[in-house]
């Protein structure tokens, strides 16, 4: 259950919408389009005194999910085109739904811009939890049932939400609060997701800092990827744990599938063409897992798992080669900030995976997320 909660927190724990779409018409005239290195969903144009941002709709080709005009607070008001949301920057007094975005505020040095959160008990970022305890950040209740009284008292300038296909915003639709629709998780590459920091940085008034962070992430990612290319072996990799009757693993074309490849792994379902999470039967996994060299596990629990606890959960695990050969590496997401940090720092995760899979690259690297499963 805790792992399920952690996963939902990672993707927003939000009743979201992909409804308000606008045609993908000409974006802006007379501005300088910022070239996106990896993002397929963002367009940004620097104009005279303001920035226009397009967020493409990942579920309906040729349309925009949202369009924004970012205008500095000390600038005179401009005429806002129809269908465009005006945001005065730096945007402060913000409501944040997902812990991964709260972590980004901290990374960019803008945690003071968070004035409210939903699902406060699941906010695992220490700096945010401290402010909640100190009364500097308001708990606006459940993301599935926002406390409107607290929300109206807070009167946020914007709310960071995560849209889902065919969803809705529930109570959020009753209030006049601009929504930052974060579909970073729908990007088709790890660096594509990371590039959203450039948009978020401009919202927070730290665009140059955000650009520098992203360019450093790209440089580190490519450096690690190149170092792995010289390794002679490509260990066979499997991942995750069985959930109910299905075993969900990332598709071969997902961002995690790409990370595994870039880390020098031969992922057992790398030939699967899905870009999302795919349910497999245990029998299907068993047929491929016998060739696996390494097994990566993520879970959320107060107590760390062990080989004996895995066996108690499901005896079928003992049939898998990595279990027999004691080559399982685990990440307890209740204790490690995996979901909070890695979406916008895929370079850190890539280095960890590369060092785990290729010990010759390890050097003095100290593992941040994964550790060998204990007996």
């Amino acid at each position: 259950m805790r792992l399920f909660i952690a996963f939902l927190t990672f993707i927003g724990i939000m009743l979201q919408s992909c409804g308000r779409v606008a045609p993908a018409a000409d974006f802006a005239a007379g501005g300088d389009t910022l070239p996106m290195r990896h993002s397929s969903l963002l367009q940004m144009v620097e104009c005279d005194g303001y920035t226009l941002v397009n967020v493409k709709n990942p579920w309906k080709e040729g349309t925009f999910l949202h369009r924004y005009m970012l205008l500095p607070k000390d600038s005179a008001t401009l005429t806002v085109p129809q269908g465009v949301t005006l945001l005065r920057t730096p945007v402060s007094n913000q409501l944040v739904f997902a812990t991964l975005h709260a972590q980004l505020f901290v990374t960019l040095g803008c945690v003071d811009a968070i004035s409210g959160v939903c699902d406060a008990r699941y906010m695992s970022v220490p700096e945010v939890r401290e402010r909640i305890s100190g009364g500097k950040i308001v708990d606006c209740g459940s993301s599935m049932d926002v406390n409107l009284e607290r929300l109206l008292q807070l009167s946020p300038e914007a709310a960071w939400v995560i849209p889902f296909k065919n969803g809705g915003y529930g109570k959020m639709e009753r209030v006049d609060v601009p929504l930052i629709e974060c579909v970073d998780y729908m990007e088709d590459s790890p660096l594509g997701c990371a590039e959203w920091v450039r948009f978020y940085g401009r919202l927070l008034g730290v665009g140059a800092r955000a650009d520098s962070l992203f360019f450093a992430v790209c440089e580190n990612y490519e450096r690690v990827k190149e170092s792995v290319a010289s390794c002679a072996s490509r260990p066979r990799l499997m991942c995750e744990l069985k959930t109910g009757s299905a075993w969900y693993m990332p598709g071969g074309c997902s961002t995690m599938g790409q990370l595994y490849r870039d880390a020098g792994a031969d992922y057992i379902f790398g030939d699967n063409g899905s870009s999302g999470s795919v349910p497999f039967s245990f029998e299907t996994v068993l047929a491929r897992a016998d060739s696996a060299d390494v097994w990566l596990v993520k879970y959320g629990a107060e107590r760390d798992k062990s080989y004996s606890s895995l066996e108690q959960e499901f005896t079928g695990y003992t049939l898998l080669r990595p279990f027999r050969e004691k080559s399982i590496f685990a990440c307890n997401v209740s204790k490690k900030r995996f979901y909070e940090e890695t979406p916008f720092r895929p370079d850190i995760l890539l280095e960890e995976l590369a060092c785990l899979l290729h010990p010759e690259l390890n050097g003095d690297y100290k593992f941040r997320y994964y550790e060998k499963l204990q007996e």
Side-chain angles (χ1 to χ4, degrees):
M1 181 63 181
R2 291 293 299 276
L3 177 57
F4 180 66
I5 290 172
F7 173 72
L8 287 181
T9 303
F10 172 54
I11 59 174
I13 320 179
M14 176 66 183
L15 5 115
Q16 313 297 341
S17 166
C18 66
R20 299 174 313 285
V21 295
D26 290 340
F27 186 52
D32 295 323
T33 300
L34 296 178
M36 294 290 103
R37 289 193 178 186
H38 296 277
S39 173
S40 61
L41 297 177
L42 279 179
Q43 292 178 333
M44 294 195 295
V45 178
E46 297 281 7
C47 301
D48 185 15
Y50 62 95
T51 302
L52 291 174
V53 180
N54 253 1
V55 177
K56 296 181 183 178
N57 190 325
W59 300 287
K60 189 171 182 181
E61 188 175 355
T63 63
F64 298 145
L65 183 65
H66 214 129
R67 308 179 76 186
Y68 301 95
M69 175 185 284
L70 311 185
L71 181 67
K73 286 182 175 177
D74 57 1
S75 299
T77 302
L78 298 177
T79 300
V80 182
Q82 185 178 3
V84 175
T85 298
L86 173 66
L87 293 168
R88 287 287 196 164
T89 60
V91 183
S92 56
N93 185 19
Q94 302 192 61
L95 176 63
V96 178
F97 281 76
T99 190
L100 79 158
H101 294 127
Q103 175 63 52
L104 185 60
F105 276 68
V106 174
T107 301
L108 292 174
C110 301
V111 68
D112 288 339
I114 303 177
S115 55
V117 297
C118 284
D119 298 305
R121 61 177 173 163
Y122 300 128
M123 280 285 168
S124 57
V125 182
E127 296 87 344
V128 174
R129 294 192 63 83
E130 180 182 345
R131 283 167 170 76
I132 295 172
S133 299
K136 294 181 179 179
I137 292 179
V138 177
D139 177 4
C140 290
S142 167
S143 57
M144 305 299 287
D145 188 21
V146 177
N147 187 312
L148 284 183
E149 182 179 353
R150 293 180 189 174
L151 178 64
L152 292 173
Q153 289 176 349
L154 187 66
S155 188
E157 296 178 17
W160 290 44
V161 297
I162 301 181
F164 293 101
K165 187 177 183 180
N166 299 325
Y169 284 109
K171 289 183 178 179
M172 290 298 295
E173 296 176 354
R174 304 182 195 173
V175 294
D176 186 22
V177 177
L179 302 180
I180 311 301
E181 301 197 88
C182 308
V183 283
D184 43 57
Y185 75 99
M186 288 296 294
E187 290 284 356
D188 55 12
S189 71
L191 291 176
C193 176
E195 192 157 17
W196 277 66
V197 72
R198 303 180 69 190
F199 169 37
Y200 299 148
R202 283 162 173 77
L203 286 172
L204 297 169
V206 291
R209 186 184 308 167
D211 284 350
S212 295
L213 173 62
F214 173 67
F215 297 147
V217 167
C218 290
E219 183 177 343
N220 292 337
Y221 193 101
E222 293 303 327
R223 174 184 57 79
V224 175
K225 184 178 176 181
E226 289 176 10
S227 69
V228 167
S230 63
C231 296
S233 64
R234 293 186 65 87
R236 289 277 284 173
L237 171 70
M238 63 177 293
C239 60
E240 309 311 342
L241 293 170
K242 183 173 173 287
T243 304
S245 61
W247 195 316
Y248 288 88
M249 293 197 194
C253 293
S254 66
T255 55
M256 284 307 304
Q258 181 174 329
L259 269 163
Y260 293 151
R261 284 195 305 275
D262 292 344
D266 181 11
Y267 175 42
I268 64 170
F269 288 108
D271 59 347
N272 180 278
S274 175
S275 59
S277 183
V278 183
F280 296 101
S281 67
F282 173 71
E283 292 73 20
T284 300
V285 174
L286 180 62
R288 298 202 180 194
D290 197 50
S291 64
D293 302 299
V294 175
W295 181 2
L296 299 182
V297 169
K298 294 193 299 294
Y299 66 93
E302 292 183 5
R303 297 183 59 183
D304 291 340
K305 290 186 183 295
S306 63
Y307 282 94
S308 59
S309 67
L310 283 186
E311 183 175 1
Q312 290 173 9
E313 289 176 16
F314 180 55
T315 57
Y317 290 147
T318 63
L319 302 175
L320 305 174
R321 180 186 170 201
F323 187 101
R324 300 194 310 267
E325 298 186 359
K326 302 297 185 288
S327 58
I328 300 177
F329 293 82
C331 172
N332 187 344
V333 298
S334 294
K335 300 179 179 181
K336 308 291 179 67
R337 296 163 77 173
F338 182 94
Y339 290 126
E340 295 87 346
E341 296 175 341
T342 60
F344 302 110
R345 291 304 307 270
D347 57 320
I348 295 177
L349 179 55
L350 183 68
E351 183 174 13
E352 175 134 330
L353 293 175
C355 290
L356 187 154
L357 294 164
H358 304 279
E360 66 272 23
L361 301 176
N362 197 325
D364 59 354
Y365 180 80
K366 291 181 174 55
F367 284 87
R368 189 181 187 97
Y369 307 114
Y370 287 98
E371 55 189 42
K372 273 220 155 194
L373 192 70
Q374 299 301 308
E375 291 287 343

